[in-house]
Amino acid sequence: MAQKAFASSADLDEKERTLEVLADGVYALTAEGDPNVGAVEGEDFVVCFEALATPVVAREWLAMLRQHTDKPVRYLVLSHYHAVRVLGASAFDADVIVAHENTRALVAERGAEDWESEFGRMPRLAKGADSVPGLTWPTLTFSDRLTIDLGGDRGDLVLDYCGRGHTEGDLVAWLPQHKILFAGDLVEAEAALYTGDAFHREWASSTLDRVAAYGAEQLVGGRGGVTKGRSAVGAAIDQTREFLTVMIREVGAVHEAGGTLKDAFDRAHAALEPGYGHWPIFEHCLPFDVSRLWDELSGVDRPVIWTAERDREVWDRLQD
Ligand SMILES: [Zn+2]
C-alpha cells in the first residue's frame, strides 16, 4: 500500500472562501474546512477575529471585508495561539491584539516550534510564508472576561474564557445583541477536531457546557460553515463533544488494558472513521490527537511541544 502523505502536505487545492453577513456589521469568512475568520463593526472601528496564517492570506480576507466597511481595525482578537490563526496579524495594523493570558504564555513557550510544525503539516495555508515578520504577541490579555463596547447602539462584544479545551487558552467572542458566537476551535462544524494540544476531558465536559450555555442562534466555529438556528448550533456542539467522547472511550479502553499507542490509534480510527472520516483533515489530525490523549490519560498534564521532528516521528509510528 502506498504510504499516506504526511498530515496535509499533499492537500494543495485552494478552497473556496465565502464571506457571509450574519447581522448588521457582523461578518464571517468560511473556507470549506480551512480556518474561519470573522469581523464585527463598532461605531467607528472594526474588531477582527483571527488573523490567518500569513499576512499575504490575511490581506486577501481584508480586501473582501473592505467591500463592506473601511473602518480601521482597532482590535484583533486571537482565539488561541496556533500559527495558522495568528501569524497573519501584521496585515491588520490593529491598535490592540487581544488574547487570553495563557495564549500569550504559550506563544512565549512554544510559538516558534508551533510555527514550524504547522507550516510543515499544512503548507497550503502558509501562502506567502516569507511575509510573516515574526511571532505574534498579544498586547492586551485577560483571565476570565473582557468586554468591548462597540459604541452607538451596537452593544458589547464579550470575550470569555470557558476553560481548557482545544488549547490551554481558548477564548470565545459573544455578541449578546445578535446571539452570535465565534467559538474558535472549541467547536468545529463538520470538520475533524485537532486535539494535539487539547485537554480532552475538560473540553468534552465543563468547557463545552459553557459554550452551549450561551444559547447562540448563529455559531462560527474554527472550521466548517456557519451554523444557523438553535438546533443546528446544538448539533455542532454535540458533534464536537461526541468526537471527543468516542476518542476518550476508545483510547481509554486500550490505555486501561495496557495496550500500545498504535493499538489505541487503530481502535480510535476504526470507531471514528465511519462517522467522521469524510470530514476535512480527519486523517491529518488523528495521529496527533490520539498521541496527546494518550499522554493526558498517562498523567501528562500539559501537552508536549510539537516540533517538526516529533510530528514526523508520531506520524510514522502510527501510519505503518
Ligand atoms: Zn487550533
Side-chain angles (χ1 to χ4, degrees), residues 80 82 85 166-167 185 194:
H80 63 288
H82 282 150
R85 305 275 167 186
H166 172 72
T167 71
D185 274 334
Y194 176 65

Side-chain angles (χ1 to χ4, degrees), residues 26-86:
V26 184
Y27 309 96
L29 186 77
T30 61
E32 299 185 306
D34 272 358
N36 295 334
V37 293
V40 179
E41 273 184 58
E43 214 37 28
D44 53 6
F45 61 89
V46 175
V47 181
C48 283
F49 187 77
E50 311 284 41
L52 295 166
T54 70
V56 164
V57 181
R59 276 194 281 273
E60 292 173 359
W61 147 235
L62 284 167
M64 295 172 82
L65 181 64
R66 287 311 181 207
Q67 293 174 5
H68 296 266
T69 172
D70 57 6
K71 295 172 186 171
V73 180
R74 185 176 298 166
Y75 299 95
L76 172 63
V77 176
L78 305 173
S79 72
H80 63 288
Y81 78 96
H82 282 150
V84 299
R85 305 275 167 186
V86 305

Side-chain angles (χ1 to χ4, degrees), residues 79-119:
S79 72
H80 63 288
Y81 78 96
H82 282 150
V84 299
R85 305 275 167 186
V86 305
L87 291 179
S90 63
F92 292 80
D93 236 346
D95 295 335
V96 183
I97 300 179
V98 189
H100 188 264
E101 62 186 14
N102 291 348
T103 290
R104 193 178 203 289
L106 286 159
V107 170
E109 179 189 52
R110 59 185 72 196
E113 289 85 350
D114 181 65
W115 179 355
E116 197 190 354
S117 158
E118 289 200 55
F119 280 25

